[in-house]
Amino acid sequence: MLKVNQLDKTYGQDKHSLKSVSFTAQPGEVTAIIGPSGAGKTTILRSVNQLIRDDGGQILLDDQDIRQANKAELRKIRHHIGMIFQNYNLISPLTALENVLHGRLGAKSTLAGMFGLYSTAEKTEALALLAEVGLKDYAYQRCDQLSGGQQQRVGIARALMQHPKMILCDEPIASLDPKSTKIVMDILRKLAREKKLIILINLHQIDIAMSYADHIIGINDGAIVFEGPTAQVNDAVLQKIYRQATEQKAKVAANEA
Ligand SMILES: Nc1ncnc2c1ncn2[C@@H]1O[C@H](COP(=O)(O)OP(=O)(O)OP(=O)(O)O)[C@@H](O)[C@H]1O
Ligand SMILES: [Mg+2]
């Protein structure tokens, strides 16, 4: 389980981006973080694997506080946290298979990693993961010749190559059409269910969050304003989560009138 307690993050002197943020995300479930632009969704995800240093709080992954880990421990913990990005973050001249194999880098010695030395077992596993995300026939295709949806699926296979406990996804479908969105979200939900992974996803699309998430975290201006099962999200909850955006739009509209 991921348990975040009273996480704080201030950028510079006065930009309070996370205000005592607490929430949990369970294995086997899809947890979606929703909220207006600038609310702090990306800051939460980047704090969870300590890509940015927060200012206080606790981040417990299976009872180990990631914030207290030393460099070597953090490297180990990070190796079991997959990341999925809006822009896929693949190495484009390389093939799908090579990109998936990159998921093993964190587990290898620097030298073996540098020379791209992968075992037959690792290659077999990478091919199986590509098949699992429906890309069996694309293993040897360059990534820049794949569609966005296909590239995102390579990203998922790469994350799985890390044998993750948890996958963090920052707007994974923001650049995808509805058909690819469905394919990618179906895969993420299936991974949560079948591999008992913690899937934590930042989403802008409320409808997708409502149809795929088991658990919803609503953030507004750096503070959690809702946490609970998706079934409890109603219009009043959504208004609370998106309050600032609505008020700002009203102000802009009033100024333009
Ligand atoms: N490196 C930074 N330096 C200063 N302020 C930052 C930095 N990164 C983020 N912020 C601020 O922190 C707040 C939260 O940003 P964050 O990127 O987490 O929002 P978000 O919810 O992911 O937004 P979006 O939906 O647009 O991706 C914003 O006000 C943003 O301007
Ligand atoms: Mg963001």
Side-chain angles (χ1 to χ4, degrees), residues 11 15 17 35-44 170-171 202 204 219:
Y11 283 108
K15 180 79 199 89
S17 291
S37 180
K41 303 182 294 296
T42 296
T43 305
I44 291 180
D170 198 358
E171 310 278 357
N202 282 350
H204 265 296
I219 180 166

Side-chain angles (χ1 to χ4, degrees), residues 6-20 43 47 52-56 67 222:
Q6 300 183 317
L7 194 67
D8 264 296
K9 171 69 186 169
T10 306
Y11 283 108
Q13 296 221 309
D14 50 359
K15 180 79 199 89
H16 206 169
S17 291
L18 297 182
K19 301 167 186 167
S20 197
T43 305
S47 301
I52 53 174
R53 296 300 291 196
D54 48 71
D55 302 321
R67 295 183 71 262

Side-chain angles (χ1 to χ4, degrees), residues 136 158 179 192 209 211 231:
K136 184 167 157 277
R158 179 184 55 189
K179 192 173 161 219
S211 41

Side-chain angles (χ1 to χ4, degrees), residues 117-173:
L117 300 173
Y118 296 102
S119 66
T120 309
E122 286 171 327
K123 284 178 193 158
T124 306
E125 184 184 1
L127 286 169
L129 290 173
L130 280 168
E132 197 174 332
V133 297
L135 294 177
K136 184 167 157 277
D137 298 331
Y138 294 86
Y140 298 97
Q141 191 125 337
R142 282 171 54 141
C143 277
D144 49 9
Q145 292 167 358
L146 297 176
S147 75
Q150 290 166 338
Q151 290 190 54
Q152 195 56 295
R153 282 186 273 160
V154 174
I156 294 172
R158 179 184 55 189
L160 291 174
M161 202 65 199
Q162 293 177 230
H163 305 156
K165 284 183 183 175
M166 170 164 76
I167 302 185
L168 306 174
C169 316
D170 198 358
E171 310 278 357
I173 51 154

